[in-house]
Amino acid sequence: MIIDIGLNLAHGQFRKDLKAVLDRAVKAHVTTLVATGTDLKASRATIALIRRLQTERVGARLVCTVGVHPHNASSTSPDLVASLRSTIEANRDVAVAVGECGLDFNRDFSPRDVQIDVFRSQVELACELSLPLFCHERDAHDDFVRVLLPFLETGRLRPDRVVVHCFTGSEAALKTYVGFGFYIGLTGFIAMAGRGAHLRPLLRSIPSKQLLVETDAPFMHPSQKRVRCEPSDIHAVLETIAEAVGVTPEVVAATTTANAERFFQLAPAAPVAAPDAASVAIDGSLFEGGGQILRLAAPLAVLCNVPLTVHSIRHNRPKPGLARQHLAGLELLRAISNASFEGLALLSTSVSLRPRASPVQATSFTKDLQGAGSVSLVLQGVLPLLLLSRASTPTTLTLIGGTHVPFSPPMDFWSSGLDRPLATMGISYEVALKACGFMPLGRGHVIVSIAPVSTIQPLQLTTKSRAITRVQSHVVVYAAGASTAIVAACNHQLNDALTAALGSIPALESRGTVQAFKAKGGPKIALHVTIETTHGNVFTGSCIAATSVASAIDDVIAELRRGWDSDACVDEHIADNLLVYMALATGASALRVPSTTSSQHIEAALHVIQAMTGVPFTITPDGNSRIVACPGRQPSIDPRPIRTRT
């Protein structure tokens, strides 16, 4: 699925055959189109056109921006901002950004001072409405930055809410915009043999997470010829980027689609395959291309009785294919469900799973990851299956491996964080941390007791609260001859730091663990903090291998603040873990999540869950957060009986 973030849908060149153009777009997998507004009249006309096309059930999802192009700045009226605001507010379901606005000092169709004033007023409006800013800049770099800088410096405008559309500028300008954190929109200009030649060597300098693609149709045809450009021509843009950065066009399409969904706060595109299809195929290189796709898709394949193939596993990672940790997780899932697998081998880039039907009778399982693979992530990949096992007694799961390893939540996340909202859904489990395990040896020992449930209750967690009711911490110090004094110092300084960052807090409920371990460079500190508020809001922060008490606390406070400073009810890590249980629940769920996250895990989770279950999700922007909602779907679960493995 591909998102064209900028085209002129209501342009006269499309008047006679627009439906045919949209049909060709859908056939080319361009399923979401963002139409640009160039003045108030054109914006309203575009909205009306989208409304009409919606009634005709065209295959593409259509949304738009609302704003005034710099060419049209001199024709605006004094009530411009009020008119734009009312137009957007009346059409929030399709109006997803303010723009196209900015500065064009190349053609100067409007006086420059007027352009600046009209641009500034639209930046103000975007900040007021918490909408992204769809920007035009041509030969006006310095003044463009000068307008935006006060909004950025005061925090009113986040850089990740700005896209510089149809970028054709200089290397210096690109470096500035990328440095700010703006998104960069690329059109067929980059594929033009002559005009785009200076940009192609620069494409590698654009971080993939800041990249968006568009056609600017009917303009900017990749051939540089005076022919009409269409959304289906976006493949030339994808291919040019792919060749420049050394990946496949499919990877560029997946990355830019996820970026566009995040930027415009759109619900993910339609799933890869219908849930009632004979099988589902998922591209394992999508989004960040990590093990999350496998951990979500595999248990859902068993629960929904859908054959599954995941291909291109970790395609863009330094060592593609299944790592030992991923292999161990799938081996455990096979033991639990007795599903049949193909491709279950170290470094395999394609795995197929076929469920087998039979009721589950859970007892106990043990899995040794043979190293420091994350036991936390292995648990993530089997917990849904064990919860809905229809067993008569709890399942005991023993995991041996890494409990405190990079790029993975510590086990405290499960026992003091995610467990809180899951409890409101009727989900209960107990985590016993017998020994901690660190890089590179692992040797951590965790026992999880999982109570089976017949149904999962819906989750309604949308009321923001910052009235703190409980604060918990767990300090782990590991080194040869590690001292309890470090634990005491950490808890003392943590209490002061939390008070300084968040205000008055209840008495800190602290735990400390000292474990002998040969750690290079002296003692290492792992720290996890959970904050609970009224209305069930939960935020967590953790660090794994800090070299000092101060750095451990700084890292944790910074992570806590990312969720706390948003309007969300949970942090991003809790959010992406809750989504699968929302889909499996017996009724409608809604969750307020951060609008900005440090990864694409929420987007990846929504994509995979929809593909496997068919449960549709909606995303509604609301201030500095998003409300993710779904109707829920209790799957038919009928895996084979579990045999005791010890």
Side-chain angles (χ1 to χ4, degrees), residues 39 57 64 216-217 223 229 247 251 290 322 362 416 429 455 473 522 535 578 582 584 598 606-607 616 625 641:
D39 60 25
R57 298 186 180 278
C64 68
D216 203 24
S223 69
C229 184
V247 298
V251 169
L322 294 178
S416 177
Y429 56 83
T455 59
S473 70
H535 300 294
L578 286 174
M582 291 167 59
L584 296 175
S598 62
L606 292 172
H607 178 82
S625 65

Side-chain angles (χ1 to χ4, degrees), residues 430-435 445-449:
E430 294 181 0
V431 177
L433 180 60
K434 299 297 185 180
H445 183 188
V446 175
I447 300 176
V448 186
S449 179

